[in-house]
Amino acid sequence: MRLVSSLTLYLSLPLIVWTLWSGEDPAQRWVLAPLLGLLALGQWLSWQRWIALSRWLLIPTALVTLGILASVMISESWIATATWQGWLDRLPGDWTLYQVRPSPLTLAALFTLMLNLLLLSRLGLGSPVLLLLVAGCTALVSARSLLPAPPHASALIGAPPALLAALWLLWGSQLARLVAPLMRYWQRILPPLAIAGTIMLVVLFGWQQQRQNDNDRLFAQIANDGDRIATLLATETEAHLKAMRRFASFWDMLGQIPTRSEWERQAKRYYEDFGYFRDIAFIDRDGKVLRVYPLRGNQSLLGINLYQSQARANAVLDRPLVYGIEGQTGIIDFLQGGRGVISYLPVRDIVDGELLGAVGMVVSVDNLLKSLLRQTHSRDRAIMILDHKQVYFHGGPLANLSDWRYQRPVRIGADTLLLSVQPDLDLLLRQRDRVPEITLVFGLVLAYLVYMVLYVYRRLAQQHRLVSQTNDSLRHEIAQRERLQGEIEWLARHDELTQLPNRRQLMNWLDEHQQALPLALMICDLDHFKRINDHFGHLTGDRYLATVAACCRDKIEDAGGIFARYGGEEFVACVPRCNRQQALHLAESLRLSVAETELVQPDGRPLTLSIGVSVTGGGTLQREPLFQAADESLYRAKQNGRNRVEIDGLAL
């Protein structure tokens, strides 16, 4: 995987260099390409174990990336778009903030890749979720770059394809280095990664929806501006037509062709009320211009026959001069220069209804729309009146405009044209809502934190299970050791074959019963036991010993004493507070019990027991004399024919 990682890293470099020299738009390549190049260099340095040098390179680069990303989120009231643009204007070249600043998704992916390198791609520091966030952001940028742009976009939404390919290669290069630990610890990583990935998808979907809603809001705002201008245009057109009808009705009541002074006096009032009138003229029935106001700049109109000079408008002239109804041209070129609309209103004698001529109202389209735009905020919007052939009016900026516009039909004179409102890019940047980007950044941070919390929780839970297992194992081992220790201690005090206390335990018992006098000591010896071992074998001999131990032990312990194996076929019984008579009786019961065990000697006779008894009286217990006396009593029992009890008293 290291070979794959290095190969993808090296493949990204030609794409970055090629993008810089390809000359393709948009200008954001001049920001993205250096950032990607520094990221690739920092990644190479990190993998060459030059960690300190890599961090010196990546930390400033990451801060610059984070600063550009912050510029997308900072409120317009904090740092205005004009301020950002002013800083760009100080750089050589013609830079616009809209074209230079990459999309927040691209910046987030770049910053996350740098952060992953700074964290040394450690699983414990969230490297898997960081790469997942990069994949999500880059995939969405790629889709928005390859698919048709959404309507009403208010910022750059994609990135140059070559730089996107380089970004994918750098991501794949980091992922390849992480495949081995991912395969090893996938069970620990998968659940928190799935939850964090779900949060990331929700965040990306929510950001896209919020951004689209904001784009629609901006479009609705531009549409409202266009509707307002169209409404103002219709209202103003209706207003000046009503005024000119009143003006024409005045001459109807006069009943004659106005004199020059009368015309100037009356026309002046209307001309001043509507600053976009080019002139107001009186035309006789033959189409000749008799009066015009203002005269200055329009002297050439006097005496002109409009039927001859404006042949295209003959049908319009016929309406007031022949049929006595209003007529209106579309947008035409004026004889004295300029372009606009002419409305003709018939003038007739109110007494006999005779047509006297017509009033011509010449409206400059440029002046009309400029007067309307002064009532709106049009400096950051391009306002146009056009049809499918040409543009009749343009107001506002000429360059740095968005790719979308709002259009609606408007009526100007006899023509139905399109009113187009196209926003300036700076306007879109100023009016964009910052909430979607804030939601995006903090949502991705939330996904990372949720992953880390769940990962640490699962890791601690696993460590807790391991500690619990270790504790259980330790407790089991301690119990085993205690059991073994108990067995060892028991074996140190007992005979394993007969389960009786051994000589050591016997001596300890005697020490503990120093004051329990009188004390009887009985040494018991199986008669002719060597013959039994030689004839029946040692296994049978061991069985004989265990049987004798069992039948004698209960009697001695019931009397409050101890019955121990002293060695070989010898047993010792000690009974506290036992006088000679009691000791003799107890020893005799032991002898009889052995005889009744149905154990036989090689000659078929029952197994017998010889017992030597000694009893100490008052004073201090002395073990050696006590044992010596009992041993001598046993010797006498052997000499006197065995299968008997001999007792000796000690006056100590």
Side-chain angles (χ1 to χ4, degrees), residues 497 529 532-547 599:
L497 173 63
F529 189 72
I532 294 173
N533 280 335
D534 292 342
H535 187 272
F536 295 115
H538 287 281
L539 291 178
T540 301
D542 291 345
R543 181 173 61 84
Y544 276 35
L545 292 174
T547 304
L599 299 176

Side-chain angles (χ1 to χ4, degrees), residues 229-279:
I229 294 172
T231 301
L232 287 175
L233 178 61
T235 302
E236 193 66 24
T237 300
E238 184 64 24
H240 69 241
L241 281 174
K242 288 182 179 179
M244 292 312 298
R245 291 186 183 111
R246 291 194 300 271
F247 181 70
S249 66
F250 174 80
W251 304 115
D252 290 341
M253 291 185 294
L254 188 61
Q256 63 181 18
I257 296 175
T259 64
R260 177 179 176 181
S261 60
E262 290 174 337
W263 181 257
E264 290 182 353
R265 184 171 60 252
Q266 294 296 328
K268 179 180 180 181
R269 297 166 53 194
Y270 289 91
Y271 182 83
E272 292 176 349
D273 287 341
F274 300 96
Y276 47 80
F277 281 179
R278 181 63 182 271
D279 60 78

Side-chain angles (χ1 to χ4, degrees), residues 355-427:
L355 286 171
L356 301 176
V359 172
M361 177 183 62
V362 182
V363 176
S364 170
V365 173
D366 288 348
N367 293 338
L368 171 61
L369 291 172
K370 287 177 181 178
S371 68
L372 296 179
L373 296 184
R374 282 193 290 269
Q375 305 176 45
T376 63
H377 302 286
S378 60
R379 287 175 296 178
D380 46 18
R381 301 163 177 81
I383 311 297
M384 289 177 285
I385 300 293
L386 68 159
D387 60 14
H388 62 283
K389 294 181 179 179
Q390 61 179 325
V391 175
Y392 293 103
F393 173 81
H394 186 286
L398 295 172
N400 199 34
L401 299 175
S402 71
D403 294 333
W404 56 270
R405 65 185 68 187
Y406 171 73
Q407 292 181 329
R408 63 163 291 172
V410 292
R411 184 82 175 179
I412 298 182
D415 291 339
T416 300
L417 304 175
L418 286 178
L419 170 65
S420 174
V421 182
Q422 190 172 6
D424 179 72
L425 294 178
D426 291 339
L427 170 66

Side-chain angles (χ1 to χ4, degrees), residues 80-233:
T81 302
T83 304
W84 298 109
Q85 185 60 52
W87 294 343
L88 284 176
D89 292 339
R90 297 177 184 178
L91 301 176
D94 185 17
W95 306 95
T96 60
L97 182 62
Y98 186 97
Q99 297 291 341
V100 169
R101 186 167 61 187
S103 70
L105 288 174
T106 310
L107 294 171
L110 270 173
F111 177 78
T112 307
L113 283 177
M114 296 176 194
L115 180 62
N116 186 49
L117 287 175
L118 292 173
L119 297 177
L120 301 179
S121 298
R122 295 177 180 173
L123 294 183
L125 296 179
S127 185
V129 74
L130 291 177
L131 292 180
L132 181 63
L133 295 179
V134 173
C137 293
T138 309
L140 187 53
V141 173
S142 301
R144 292 166 72 91
S145 300
L146 299 175
L147 298 176
H152 322 142
S154 57
L156 290 179
I157 57 176
L163 290 183
L164 277 177
L167 186 60
W168 277 115
L169 288 172
L170 291 174
W171 172 82
S173 180
Q174 293 190 22
L175 179 63
R177 292 285 177 120
L178 207 62
V179 168
L182 284 176
M183 297 297 293
R184 187 179 305 121
Y185 301 109
W186 69 271
Q187 290 181 330
R188 181 194 304 172
I189 296 170
L190 186 59
L193 194 63
I195 295 174
T198 302
I199 295 175
M200 179 201 69
L201 291 177
V202 172
V203 168
L204 291 177
F205 176 78
W207 171 81
Q208 186 172 9
Q209 190 62 41
Q210 284 183 323
R211 178 48 55 209
Q212 186 58 48
N213 292 340
D214 188 54
N215 291 342
D216 294 340
R217 177 187 64 83
L218 289 175
F219 179 77
Q221 178 179 322
I222 299 302
N224 289 337
D225 292 343
D227 292 340
R228 183 184 177 192
I229 294 172
T231 301
L232 287 175
L233 178 61

Side-chain angles (χ1 to χ4, degrees), residues 423-441:
D424 179 72
L425 294 178
D426 291 339
L427 170 66
L428 297 182
L429 294 182
R430 290 196 305 272
Q431 297 294 330
R432 289 176 84 243
D433 191 358
R434 271 61 172 177
V435 172
E437 277 65 43
I438 295 175
T439 302
L440 172 68
V441 172

